[in-house]
Amino acid sequence: MYPLKFDWNPLTGIDIIGNFKLHFYSVMWIVAFGIGWYLMKRIFTKEKVSLEYLDPLFIYTVLATMIGARLGHVLFYQSELITQDFFSIFLPFRFYPRFEFTGFQGLASHGAAIGIIIGMYLYRKKYKYKSLLWILDRVVISVASGAIFIRIGNFINSEIIGKVTDSSFGVRFIQDYYYKGEIVRLTGIKNVQKAYNAVTDNPQFKNLLDAVPYRHPAQLYESFSYIFVFLILWFFYSKTTKKDQTGFLFGLFLVLLWTVRFFVEFVKEPQGDEYINWFGLNTGQWLSIPFIFIGFYFMFVFKPKPTVK
């Protein structure tokens, strides 16, 4: 009756040793950075920029993205970590309420955006072969492609879920609804993954499955939208002269990506404490609005200062 409704209860990673697990979410980050590196290599080669600048750019981008995303999440959504579990902010471990290897979780795209801009500024201070905006105009193409895979990773992890829906398209996120300890207790199965699997596979636990509501797969909405953000940026870069208009691609990226984020927020559950919640808009939406206006500025108003020779 509802062919577009399904249950989501995947294996989220591969156990390596003890509490250490290779999370597929982490693999998606690796894929995102790898494709980003490849795209920048193509751009550097096309524009005859020495590839000796590529690896430092990659390192700056990775560090800026991860640090900015993590600090952004803490500042915008989970500031209690500063006092409750300070070292978990910077390490892939949780120390409170118990020690656990978590991987790098709790990453905010707004923080990542700010981090990348700062990172590119620091990179440009050291490597002065092109202007800061030249670099940003091209890096955002890679960032847009990476965003596609990050949101797929969020979907695999059953995080950044959408609001409950009664539409014909919905997903039951089993592992978000039941915490690990809870699912072990409710099923009596000590192995966590087997306990989760029993909810969807064993008719004995149908009551547990029925209790899980269908939700919007907000992660997939974003991921699908970011495909078009990437394609539009790549079209303007490769098929038009807009790549020569300083700041245009950077501005276009800001407008497209944060407009997508603004509208998807309507079907998302809050990602933490909503510090900003004015006029029916949530924290993510209010944080997106300035980026959109800045994007329009760089697309239609900004004029670079003439180079003094």
Side-chain angles (χ1 to χ4, degrees):
M1 185 175 180
Y2 297 113
L4 295 180
K5 285 189 172 182
F6 61 94
D7 300 323
W8 188 243
N9 187 27
L11 183 70
T12 58
I14 302 172
D15 291 320
I16 299 175
I17 183 172
N19 288 327
F20 291 89
K21 175 185 282 191
L22 176 61
H23 290 270
F24 297 136
Y25 176 62
S26 301
V27 173
M28 289 296 101
W29 276 92
I30 294 171
V31 171
F33 284 127
I35 292 176
W37 179 89
Y38 170 75
L39 289 171
M40 289 306 297
K41 182 180 180 181
R42 284 192 60 178
I43 290 170
F44 274 37
T45 301
K46 178 180 179 179
E47 302 200 35
K48 296 181 173 54
V49 175
S50 174
L51 293 181
E52 70 178 278
Y53 299 116
L54 181 59
D55 285 344
L57 177 63
F58 177 77
I59 293 171
Y60 272 79
T61 303
V62 171
L63 291 176
T65 303
M66 299 303 293
I67 294 172
R70 184 59 180 152
L71 291 178
H73 174 82
V74 172
L75 293 174
F76 299 142
Y77 298 105
Q78 203 175 3
S79 59
E80 67 272 12
L81 286 180
I82 298 173
T83 55
Q84 290 182 359
D85 198 3
F86 180 77
F87 292 105
S88 71
I89 296 174
F90 305 100
L91 299 174
F93 301 96
R94 176 188 295 126
F95 299 91
Y96 174 86
R98 66 186 183 280
F99 178 80
E100 181 182 358
F101 176 76
T102 59
F104 289 102
Q105 297 181 341
L107 305 172
S109 52
H110 295 92
I114 296 170
I116 289 171
I117 293 171
I118 295 173
M120 294 306 95
Y121 170 78
L122 296 175
Y123 171 79
R124 172 61 177 74
K125 291 268 289 185
K126 186 172 183 179
Y127 302 97
K128 301 182 178 181
Y129 59 96
K130 293 287 185 179
S131 70
L132 173 60
L133 279 174
W134 184 95
I135 297 169
L136 286 172
D137 278 336
R138 286 142 182 86
V139 163
V140 293
I141 300 173
S142 294
V143 172
S145 71
I148 299 167
F149 297 96
I150 302 307
R151 285 298 179 248
I152 293 174
N154 293 137
F155 182 73
I156 293 172
N157 256 16
S158 299
E159 58 189 10
I160 313 184
I161 60 173
K163 295 178 179 178
V164 174
T165 178
D166 58 1
S167 69
S168 60
F169 185 36
V171 178
R172 290 195 286 200
F173 293 97
I174 313 300
Q175 296 178 27
D176 171 78
Y177 191 80
Y178 295 110
Y179 294 107
K180 293 179 180 179
E182 182 184 17
I183 200 62
V184 167
R185 177 178 58 81
L186 290 172
T187 61
I189 301 172
K190 293 183 178 180
N191 182 284
V192 174
Q193 190 60 51
K194 289 182 178 178
Y196 278 127
N197 291 342
V199 174
T200 52
D201 300 340
N202 190 335
Q204 176 186 348
F205 302 109
K206 185 177 183 300
N207 63 314
L208 297 180
L209 180 61
D210 290 342
V212 182
Y214 284 100
R215 295 180 176 274
H216 287 285
Q219 318 95 321
L220 297 184
Y221 297 165
E222 275 196 72
S223 181
F224 183 73
S225 299
Y226 293 156
I227 294 174
F228 292 97
V229 173
F230 166 72
L231 291 176
I232 291 169
L233 287 169
W234 187 255
F235 171 80
F236 274 97
Y237 172 76
S238 60
K239 301 296 184 181
T240 75
T241 59
K242 286 297 185 180
K243 73 176 185 297
D244 300 319
Q245 181 180 328
T246 303
F248 180 86
L249 292 175
F250 174 57
L252 179 62
F253 165 81
L254 293 179
V255 171
L256 292 176
L257 186 130
W258 297 112
T259 297
V260 168
R261 178 65 186 272
F262 180 89
F263 284 105
V264 173
E265 286 291 326
F266 282 113
V267 298
K268 271 188 187 179
E269 287 286 8
Q271 301 308 300
D273 292 331
E274 289 289 348
Y275 300 115
I276 308 173
N277 194 1
W278 306 323
F279 305 108
L281 302 180
N282 64 24
T283 301
Q285 290 171 312
W286 281 109
L287 292 174
S288 298
I289 291 171
F291 285 105
I292 295 171
F293 280 111
I294 293 170
F296 280 124
Y297 168 78
F298 278 104
M299 289 178 68
F300 302 114
V301 179
F302 174 78
K303 301 294 182 185
K305 296 179 180 178
T307 304
V308 178
K309 297 183 179 180

